[in-house]
Amino acid sequence: MSTLFEQGPSDRADAASTRPESPIELAVVVPTYNERGNILPLLEALAKALTNIEWEVIFVDDHSADGTADVVREMAHTNRNIRVLERIGRRGLSSASIEGMLATAAPYLAVMDADLQHDEKLLPRMLERMKVKKLDIVIASRSLREGNAGEFPRDRVRLSLLGNRISRFVCRCEVSDAMSGFFLVDASFFRRVAPRLSGRGFKILVDLLATSQQPIRIGEEPYQFGERRWGESKLDIRVGAEYLYLLLDKSLGRVLPTRFVVFALVGSIGVIIHLGILALLYYRAKTGFVEAQAAATLSAMTFNFLLNNVLTFRDKRLRGWRVLNGLLTFYVACAVGALINLSVASSLFRSHVVWWLAGICGLGFSSVWNYGVNSVFTWRREKS
Ligand code: GDD
Ligand code: MN
């Protein structure tokens, strides 16, 4: 497959004003969010580590309040190998890395964190290995199993190992640290898979590994994960949800829209809640059946709405008074959904379809209805 790099410079119009420079070989892409204090130390560390390599660095900053992008611009003013890509109104480590990687002409792309937890001294070795062995990806792996994860809390290590195990299913490959945020990728390989990347959440490497349709030539370099020197980690509870989304996208997402799958999952948790409350009221509180069923329905619907608001429609999340408004729309949509459920199921049952199949079909129709109507009316994207 021919790439841009195969065309000689003479093919292009003579850019007379630009003086010839040796071509950039390596682009280091650094996603940043409130990392002001780390920029200078990182640049110094990179300059020290990459002495024999033509490199550039692209910081992809999501409009950090601490002025990270301005700090980079100040450095970039006198050094054309430093660049900043600032995104306004966007968030996300994966999408930032992807956009950074697309913003360079270098044939080799490294992604690393800004906080000096990733050992930049590994980069020349990774690059050499990629070139000699003609690899697509070289992963800098925190050898978690040997307890080499630096000052990582035990829970995080355990969570990472679990994530790794799960990722093996979607990646269909054996790597020791698919959760690593530090790796090198061949640019033409990257651009081949880029259009199909999910771009959600933190796990850009899992995304890359799971998206490639051809077998990937992978190398791994073990290293010691360092300690964050300045600022704090941005990984929080949201990351788990984002990871779930990415995994669904890369597995079931091939057949069903991921958002619908999450919506259905939330719905099934709602069923369990419904039955729990019903049992509690009916058996323990000795409430009449109809009252108990009504209370259970209302609670399960409210619970579903709230969970959908933070999980399924996180990107269109309703806040403030809009929550109340949305809740009302959700009730109405689901009530109509329940009527559809009843009429589909009962008409099938009357046509002698077996009871459980009639039940499932009713549920299926109402779920699709609920999903469709709520995505259009309850969680419509509002300009804020
Ligand atoms: N542009 C952008 N947008 N950058 C972000 C965002 C975002 O929304 N969130 C985080 N970053 C940047 C941070 O500024 C930092 O440079 C890098 O991404 C990693 O974020 P940390 O908050 O330091 O992550 P971590 O150290 O807890 O997690 C690291 O280890 C994980 C393995 O468990 C990262 O390398 C993860 O990628 C990795 O999966
Ligand atoms: Mn970090």
Side-chain angles (χ1 to χ4, degrees), residues 94-376:
S94 276
S95 61
S97 311
I98 293 170
E99 283 161 44
M101 286 191 273
L102 288 171
T104 174
Y108 300 103
L109 317 167
V111 173
M112 68 187 295
D113 294 353
D115 55 11
L116 301 148
Q117 291 190 282
H118 294 161
D119 186 358
E120 72 292 335
K121 293 190 286 299
L122 213 63
L123 281 169
R125 209 174 333 140
M126 288 161 76
L127 184 61
E128 193 54 31
R129 177 126 176 234
M130 173 163 279
K131 289 202 278 191
V132 172
K133 300 236 170 100
K134 300 207 167 21
L135 300 173
D136 299 313
I137 296 182
V138 177
I139 305 170
S141 300
R142 301 157 300 162
S143 337
L144 294 172
R145 250 158 285 181
E146 285 102 72
N148 231 357
E151 292 298 300
F152 238 39
R154 285 239 41 93
D155 283 356
R156 269 295 292 274
V157 175
R158 228 170 275 148
L159 206 65
S160 240
L161 284 174
L162 175 71
N164 246 330
R165 222 162 285 148
I166 304 173
S167 69
R168 248 166 246 166
F169 286 104
V170 290
C171 299
R172 287 157 291 156
C173 59
E174 276 288 319
V175 296
S176 67
D177 189 10
M179 317 294 277
S180 175
F182 184 20
F183 57 90
L184 185 69
V185 49
D186 177 87
S188 47
F189 166 82
F190 171 73
R191 279 192 284 269
R192 263 199 314 274
V193 293
R196 278 174 288 112
L197 291 172
S198 160
R200 291 194 74 112
F202 264 60
K203 306 304 175 190
I204 168 71
L205 185 57
V206 174
D207 201 354
L208 273 173
L209 296 175
T211 300
S212 173
Q213 283 160 341
Q214 276 126 35
I216 312 171
R217 289 160 297 186
I218 305 174
E220 291 194 82
E221 287 282 341
Y223 80 106
Q224 172 92 36
F225 193 66
E227 256 178 273
R228 182 180 257 280
R229 307 262 177 84
W230 186 96
E232 51 193 44
S233 169
K234 280 84 200 173
L235 288 195
D236 55 19
I237 192 78
R238 186 172 54 101
V239 175
E242 296 274 16
Y243 190 46
L244 172 76
Y245 241 106
L246 175 64
L247 293 175
L248 285 174
D249 242 4
K250 290 294 159 200
S251 49
L252 277 177
R254 290 168 223 240
V255 215
L256 282 171
T258 303
R259 210 197 279 273
F260 177 71
V261 177
V262 179
F263 187 80
L265 276 177
V266 169
S268 23
I269 303 176
V271 172
I272 298 172
I273 298 220
H274 180 116
L275 290 179
I277 294 181
L278 181 62
L280 213 70
L281 290 178
Y282 186 59
Y283 283 114
R284 287 283 160 87
K286 306 281 181 223
T287 318
F289 179 77
V290 177
E291 288 85 353
Q293 169 75 350
T297 307
L298 213 61
S299 327
M301 271 206 295
T302 312
F303 169 84
N304 274 8
F305 169 79
L306 294 174
L307 200 57
N308 277 320
N309 196 35
V310 293
L311 212 63
T312 322
F313 296 97
R314 179 162 205 110
D315 52 335
K316 303 176 185 178
R317 193 166 169 184
L318 306 171
R319 295 169 198 272
W321 63 267
R322 286 211 183 110
V323 174
L324 263 184
N325 221 344
L327 185 61
L328 289 180
T329 331
F330 189 77
Y331 283 157
V332 175
C334 293
V336 179
L339 288 180
I340 293 177
N341 180 345
L342 279 180
S343 68
V344 169
S346 56
S347 73
L348 284 176
F349 186 69
R350 260 180 281 139
S351 338
H352 307 292
V353 172
V354 58
W355 64 270
W356 56 264
L357 190 59
I360 290 179
C361 288
L363 202 64
F365 268 88
S366 63
S367 309
V368 172
W369 160 272
N370 284 351
Y371 175 70
V373 170
N374 281 311
S375 4
V376 175

